[in-house]
């Protein structure tokens, strides 16, 4: 084991599981994990990072999928001189069987530190820490086991979505099939950098947005319905009989003022044109209210974390689209967006920043969309707001 690590030891004292504990477990049999402890302890002690940008490392035929990591103190920690991260494309909805997980772990213990992150914020399986000579043989074994690398660099990042209809009754389209289809269709965009910067596609089956796509994805697909929510009045009466204050907790909190409550008749009504599909009433009264029948999705553009121009929440681009195989309308729109952005984007400029600089009018013209009232540009630019 590495020498004394008093600062890291402090992180094991809290009530929650600690990454330090897991690194120490890996360090008992892996020299790279052992040196990682020393590097992190030194960084905490000196209050500066001891990782440097190491440029691009990768496998034959791919331009992304492996993130270069090098320490700037290799003389002190030679076993972690290179500590590259391998991104492995996850299955839709993150469904695995135990055999698949064992294959991944066996391969990673053979070629890397044994440390994993299940999953990274992009969605990928993250394999933390290997040396340059091991990248290609590691990829070869992963590929033979049926896995592929995910996206990194100025590529289409690995598409991801919520669990959708596999486990959620509110899903308005099949997120699992859509994400699988887009991943298979855009393999070249996923593996070979060609754009000004990264591009993320995330899908959530309903407006609850469990994949946090609105805050994180350049191209956001949110399940929605075009008709009215469905209300079971007998179930509404049951909620009222059990003491739910429907007027205060449901109607008064509707952001579109679309609901009304007749206390005498015990009837909840909705004005569909004013409904914002926020899911609040559905979440609170799950036995009484359901999404509409005419289901599809709203497509939004531009979500991102702060890089050049601060954080953006994505804003509406297509108010409603049917989401059905072979997803031609969505794929055609993606390719138009990429063509325009690739032509006009500056280095390290996300598509939202490019639209902000050139103008939404020019962007809409390029992707053959007519302006509609729902295209509010943009409702809120800082996702780090707490109520």
């Amino acid at each position: 084991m590495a020498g004394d690590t008093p600062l890291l030891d402090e992180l094991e004292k809290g009530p929650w599981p600690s990454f330090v504990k897991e690194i120490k477990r890996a360090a008992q049999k892996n020299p790279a994990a052992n040196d990682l402890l020393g590097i992190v302890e030194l960084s905490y002690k000196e209050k500066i990072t001891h990782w440097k940008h190491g440029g691009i490392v990768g496998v034959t035929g791919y331009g992304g999928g492996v993130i270069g990591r090098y320490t700037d103190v290799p003389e002190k920690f030679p076993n972690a001189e290179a500590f590259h991260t391998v991104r492995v494309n996850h299955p839709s909805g993150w469904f695995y069987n135990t055999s698949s997980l064992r294959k991944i772990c066996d391969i990673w213990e053979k070629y890397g530190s044994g440390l994993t992150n299940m999953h990274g914020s992009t969605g990928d399986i993250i394999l933390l820490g290997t040396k340059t000579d091991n990248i290609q043989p590691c990829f070869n074994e992963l590929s033979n086991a049926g896995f592929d690398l995910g996206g990194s660099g100025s590529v289409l990042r690995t598409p991801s979505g919520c669990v959708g209809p596999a486990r959620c009754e509110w899903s308005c389209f099949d997120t699992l099939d859509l994400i699988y289809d887009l991943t298979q269709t855009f393999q070249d965009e996923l593996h070979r950098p060609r754009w000004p910067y990264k591009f993320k596609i995330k899908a959530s089956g309903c407006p609850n947005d469990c994949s946090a796509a609105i805050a994180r994805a350049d191209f956001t697909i949110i399940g929605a319905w075009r008709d009215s929510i469905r209300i079971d009045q007998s179930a509404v009466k049951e909620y009222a009989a059990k003491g739910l204050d429907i007027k205060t907790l449901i109607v008064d909190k509707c952001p579109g003022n679309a609901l009304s409550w007749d206390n005498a008749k015990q009837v909840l009504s909705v004005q569909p044109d004013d409904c914002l599909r926020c899911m609040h009433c559905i979440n609170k009264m799950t036995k009484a209210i359901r999404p509409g029948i005419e289901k599809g999705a709203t497509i939004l553009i531009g979500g991102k974390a702060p890089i050049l121009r601060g954080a953006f929440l994505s804003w509406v681009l297509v108010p409603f689209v049917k989401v059905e195989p072979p997803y031609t309308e969505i794929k055609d729109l993606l390719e138009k967006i990429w063509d325009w952005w690739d032509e006009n984007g500056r280095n390290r400029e996300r598509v939202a920043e490019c639209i902000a600089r050139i103008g939404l009018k020019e962007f809409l013209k390029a992707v053959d969309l007519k302006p509609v009232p729902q295209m509010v540009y943009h409702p809120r630019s800082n996702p780090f707001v707490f109520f």
Side-chain angles (χ1 to χ4, degrees):
M1 290 286 288
D4 293 338
T5 55
L7 297 176
L8 288 180
D9 295 345
E10 286 294 318
L11 297 178
E12 292 186 274
K13 296 179 181 179
W16 308 108
S18 169
F19 74 94
V20 176
K21 178 182 177 181
E22 299 307 316
I23 297 176
K24 286 182 177 180
R25 286 179 59 190
Q28 292 175 1
K29 55 182 179 180
N30 188 285
N34 187 47
D35 274 8
L36 174 63
L37 287 170
I39 293 172
V40 178
E41 178 72 19
L42 184 63
S43 294
Y44 285 3
K45 180 180 179 181
E46 298 183 352
K47 296 183 175 59
I48 59 171
T49 181
H50 282 290
W51 298 106
K52 61 181 181 178
H53 189 275
I56 301 298
V57 289
V59 301
T60 302
Y62 284 34
V66 181
I67 305 167
R69 294 281 187 266
Y70 297 90
T71 181
D72 64 2
V73 283
E75 68 284 353
K76 294 182 179 179
F77 306 103
N79 294 308
E81 177 179 359
F83 205 79
H84 308 311
T85 293
V86 179
R87 284 181 171 166
V88 180
N89 199 326
H90 57 279
S92 293
W94 301 287
F95 283 101
Y96 304 90
N97 57 31
T98 54
S99 174
S100 297
L101 289 173
R102 287 185 185 279
K103 284 180 183 177
I104 294 169
C105 292
D106 288 345
I107 292 169
W108 191 235
E109 286 196 347
K110 182 178 178 181
Y111 292 107
S113 68
L115 297 168
T116 66
N117 179 359
M118 305 288 280
H119 297 82
S121 59
T122 296
D124 294 305
I125 305 162
I126 303 297
L127 306 181
L128 294 159
T130 190
K131 56 187 180 182
T132 305
D133 291 345
N134 282 351
I135 292 172
Q136 187 68 47
C138 180
F139 166 73
N140 293 344
E141 288 207 27
L142 286 168
S143 183
N144 290 336
F147 292 93
D148 196 7
L149 295 189
S152 71
S154 297
V155 299
L156 171 63
R157 296 299 178 85
T158 312
S160 66
C162 71
V163 73
R167 298 191 69 177
C168 179
E169 61 185 309
W170 305 137
S171 188
C172 295
F173 67 93
D174 191 338
T175 55
L176 306 175
D177 187 68
L178 173 66
I179 290 301
Y180 178 78
D181 191 294
L182 294 178
T183 302
Q184 296 298 323
T185 300
F186 296 119
Q187 284 289 294
D188 208 42
E189 290 78 5
L190 187 68
H191 292 307
R192 294 168 184 89
R194 66 179 69 178
W195 294 332
Y197 203 21
K198 57 190 171 185
F199 191 96
K200 297 180 179 180
I201 300 172
K202 297 187 188 299
S204 289
C206 80
N208 279 324
D209 192 14
C210 290
S211 65
I214 291 173
R216 303 190 300 153
D218 301 271
F219 192 85
T220 303
I221 307 166
I222 302 292
W225 55 93
R226 187 151 52 181
D227 51 349
S228 175
I229 57 172
R230 292 171 283 169
I231 302 175
D232 181 342
Q233 297 297 344
S234 62
V236 169
K237 289 181 172 64
E238 287 184 24
Y239 276 104
K242 291 179 180 179
L244 178 66
D245 186 346
I246 294 175
K247 174 69 167 63
T248 302
L249 298 178
I250 309 300
V251 173
D252 290 349
K253 292 186 181 297
C254 175
N257 294 318
L259 295 172
S260 57
W261 172 241
D262 187 325
N263 193 52
K265 296 181 180 179
Q266 299 279 284
V267 172
L268 181 66
S269 304
V270 62
Q271 184 62 40
D273 290 345
D274 294 331
C275 175
L276 301 180
R277 281 84 172 148
C278 74
M279 295 293 291
H280 172 71
C281 61
I282 295 174
N283 292 335
K284 291 294 186 182
M285 301 176 69
T286 55
K287 295 180 181 180
I289 308 175
R290 300 184 63 81
I293 295 172
E294 192 177 357
K295 296 176 181 177
T298 298
I299 296 175
L300 302 92
I301 190 79
K304 58 174 281 295
I307 297 292
L308 297 182
R309 292 196 55 184
F312 279 46
L313 289 177
S314 55
W315 65 93
V316 172
L317 186 63
V318 179
F320 186 84
V321 61
K322 285 285 188 181
V323 186
E324 298 169 343
Y327 312 111
T328 303
E329 193 170 350
I330 292 174
K331 293 174 185 175
D332 288 347
L333 178 58
L334 275 167
E335 291 182 338
K336 289 175 183 176
I337 291 170
W338 291 336
D339 286 345
W340 178 83
W341 176 49
D342 196 28
E343 185 71 25
N344 294 280
R346 295 172 177 171
N347 186 41
R348 291 179 67 82
E349 184 177 58
R350 296 282 282 272
V351 69
E353 294 160 336
C354 190
I355 294 170
R357 176 171 57 84
I358 294 175
L360 186 58
K361 178 182 177 181
E362 293 300 317
F363 171 73
L364 294 176
K365 189 188 302 181
V367 298
D368 297 325
L369 290 177
K370 293 182 179 180
V372 293
Q374 291 92 335
M375 293 174 181
V376 179
Y377 171 74
H378 42 85
R380 181 157 58 88
S381 62
N382 188 356
F384 301 101
V385 174
F386 298 90
F387 295 94

